[in-house]
Amino acid sequence: MTRAIREPARDVPIVAEPDVLVVGGGPAGFAAACAAARAGARTLLVESHGCLGGTLTIVTLGGFCGIHAVGGEDALVRVVGGLCVELEGRLAAVDAIRPPKRHGRIVGVPYDSVRLKGVLDEMAAAHGVSVMLHATAVAVATEGGHVGAVFVESKSGRGAIVPNVVVDCSGDGDVAARAGAGFALGRDGETQYGSTMFRLGGVDTARAGALSRAEIRECLERAVADGHPLPRTATGVHLNPLEGVAHLNVTKLGRPDGSPFDLSDVAQLGEAEREGRRQVRLYEEVFRNYVPGFASARVIDIGARVGVRETRLVRGDAVLTEAQVRACAKPADRIACSAWPLENHGRGRATSWDFLPDGEWYGVPWGCLVVAGFDNLLVAGRPLSAEHGAQASVRVAGPCLALGEAAGVGAAASLADGGRVRSVEVGALQRRLREAGALLEPVGA
């Protein structure tokens, strides 16, 4: 039995009363806040770290995934538009993005994570978003399925935010969970493995860039055969816009028994951070000795926190199923699209990739963002209402930007009925999204 101590009751000052509160400044939260503010809603974006971007900047992902599908030949099909296109344009204006890079049937868009931080600040300000950094949502006050307040902790102490509607983009569904919403933890309690991301300097980018993912994997498998205990040999290597720098997504964070960490548990999260740093040193050594172009490479940066692929999956009015993803379902009430494969980081050194047919895509229903049992709470990003298998496809940056934009437009529209998100007419929501450049019927790029 866990011992406990009673915390004294206290009056908490109300620090903000926005129309729309977005919790979490990652791809989904950033897009949700920009979209809501663009629609005229007084919007507050709360982020626990010191910059926006989440996985894109704090974890330092290195490449945008899921913006394009693969068509025939070398053709690409853009599946995410809207605010994502604006973001790409702003990055291009400061030389912080490269053209899409195709690795077989996988397409990534390399970017500079350092310059992205400033670009996100400028874009949020341009759309009229109020941003509160270094503030963590720690509690939720609810009454009859209505979120009345979200409590945050910061250097300034504890404060209450009283919004009309809330969009939970915390990545782990923290607000929804604290409000009492139902959720699943991966599949039967086992989630995808997390990764610690890092960058190497001193890379011969011409030589390294000529390698395919299959060739890199062969190099790493040779290292395993020589006795190096690599937990993963299926890798993601993004050449940074900065010459001589490569971003590596290669680690796999497992517990001593081989199972994945539960990254919604603070003790296991801490263990994962330490394990990640241990693996970074291991992979640096192996890349230097086994992979062409990396002989003089050295770690110059490690993500500020573990990269999380999956924790809580919040229960919504609808559930995106694995069968729908595999069938490339295009529901009439879709508010975002994705063509990313079912990318599963499970047990073993390999990564499972189940690709959709070339040029194909699927749609995500609006109900996957509407939290079951609550009238003014939405969720967007990787904790959306989805099955484990489906989330393995929709969780990457491109679709998360699209999901966030839809959530923000929907949140603003709900204000006409006091923030009741189920009063939003989906057809009108879709029209607003299309008018803003969002893609609900992807076309060739």
Side-chain angles (χ1 to χ4, degrees), residues 94-119:
V94 294
D95 190 28
I97 194 169
R98 285 187 169 180
K101 176 70 173 178
R102 182 169 174 174
H103 304 274
R105 298 177 68 189
I106 302 168
V107 182
V109 182
Y111 68 93
D112 182 340
S113 60
V114 175
R115 287 194 175 177
L116 176 58
K117 294 178 182 180
V119 167

Side-chain angles (χ1 to χ4, degrees), residues 381-407:
R382 60 179 168 82
L384 84 164
S385 180
E387 292 180 349
H388 169 81
Q391 193 264 3
S393 168
V394 77
R395 63 175 171 76
V396 295
C400 282
L401 284 164
L403 293 169
E405 184 166 2

Side-chain angles (χ1 to χ4, degrees), residues 140-149 162-165 179 373-377 418-420:
V140 180
T142 63
E143 184 175 353
H146 181 85
V147 175
V162 180
N164 287 312
V165 60
F374 293 85
D375 63 13
N376 68 332
L377 180 58
R420 294 176 178 83

Side-chain angles (χ1 to χ4, degrees), residues 110-409:
Y111 68 93
D112 182 340
S113 60
V114 175
R115 287 194 175 177
L116 176 58
K117 294 178 182 180
V119 167
L120 294 175
D121 288 338
E122 294 165 3
M123 189 167 161
H127 284 286
V129 178
S130 296
V131 178
M132 181 185 294
L133 299 176
H134 293 296
T136 303
V138 295
V140 180
T142 63
E143 184 175 353
H146 181 85
V147 175
V150 175
F151 297 92
V152 297
E153 289 278 359
S154 71
K155 290 289 187 182
S156 300
R158 193 176 184 94
I161 300 172
V162 180
N164 287 312
V165 60
V166 181
V167 187
D168 182 355
C169 298
S170 63
D172 298 312
D174 289 336
V175 175
R178 285 164 173 71
F183 62 86
L185 190 65
R187 174 183 287 159
D188 299 326
E190 181 161 317
T191 63
Q192 292 205 48
Y193 289 70
S195 290
T196 294
M197 312 295 181
F198 63 100
R199 287 190 295 167
L200 294 174
V203 177
D204 181 342
T205 49
R207 195 172 184 193
L211 297 172
S212 69
R213 289 195 174 196
E215 289 170 330
I216 295 174
R217 184 175 182 183
E218 289 175 5
C219 295
L220 299 186
E221 287 290 346
R222 285 200 299 273
V224 171
D226 288 344
H228 296 278
L230 301 180
R232 175 183 168 195
T233 54
T235 67
V237 177
H238 298 281
L239 298 183
N240 196 273
L242 187 64
E243 185 62 33
V245 175
H247 181 279
L248 274 67
N249 176 353
V250 300
T251 64
K252 175 177 279 188
L253 309 180
R255 304 169 73 184
D257 65 0
S259 65
F261 290 102
D262 173 4
L263 298 176
S264 67
D265 176 89
V266 67
Q268 293 189 49
L269 181 59
E271 292 177 27
E273 296 280 11
R274 290 183 286 273
E275 171 63 15
R277 287 187 283 272
R278 186 193 67 80
Q279 288 188 22
V280 167
R281 293 186 63 184
L282 171 63
Y283 277 98
E284 178 190 48
E285 176 186 356
V286 166
F287 266 76
R288 286 169 61 98
N289 293 317
Y290 286 85
V291 184
F294 290 87
S296 300
R298 182 183 178 95
V299 173
I300 58 173
D301 185 38
I302 301 175
R305 63 158 294 161
V306 163
V308 181
R309 293 185 173 89
E310 181 185 28
T311 53
R312 302 183 186 101
L313 302 175
V314 176
R315 187 176 305 123
D317 285 0
V319 179
L320 181 68
T321 68
E322 181 175 340
Q324 289 170 331
V325 171
R326 292 184 181 277
C328 302
K330 301 170 178 61
D333 61 344
R334 64 184 178 274
I335 42 75
C337 301
S338 175
W340 193 251
L342 288 80
E343 177 194 353
N344 186 31
H345 294 253
R347 295 180 183 246
R349 293 196 302 274
T351 299
S352 170
W353 299 88
D354 290 343
F355 294 93
L356 306 185
D358 284 354
E360 268 293 0
W361 52 274
Y362 62 91
V364 181
W366 167 242
C368 293
L369 309 187
V370 179
V371 178
F374 293 85
D375 63 13
N376 68 332
L377 180 58
L378 298 171
V379 63
R382 60 179 168 82
L384 84 164
S385 180
E387 292 180 349
H388 169 81
Q391 193 264 3
S393 168
V394 77
R395 63 175 171 76
V396 295
C400 282
L401 284 164
L403 293 169
E405 184 166 2
V409 172

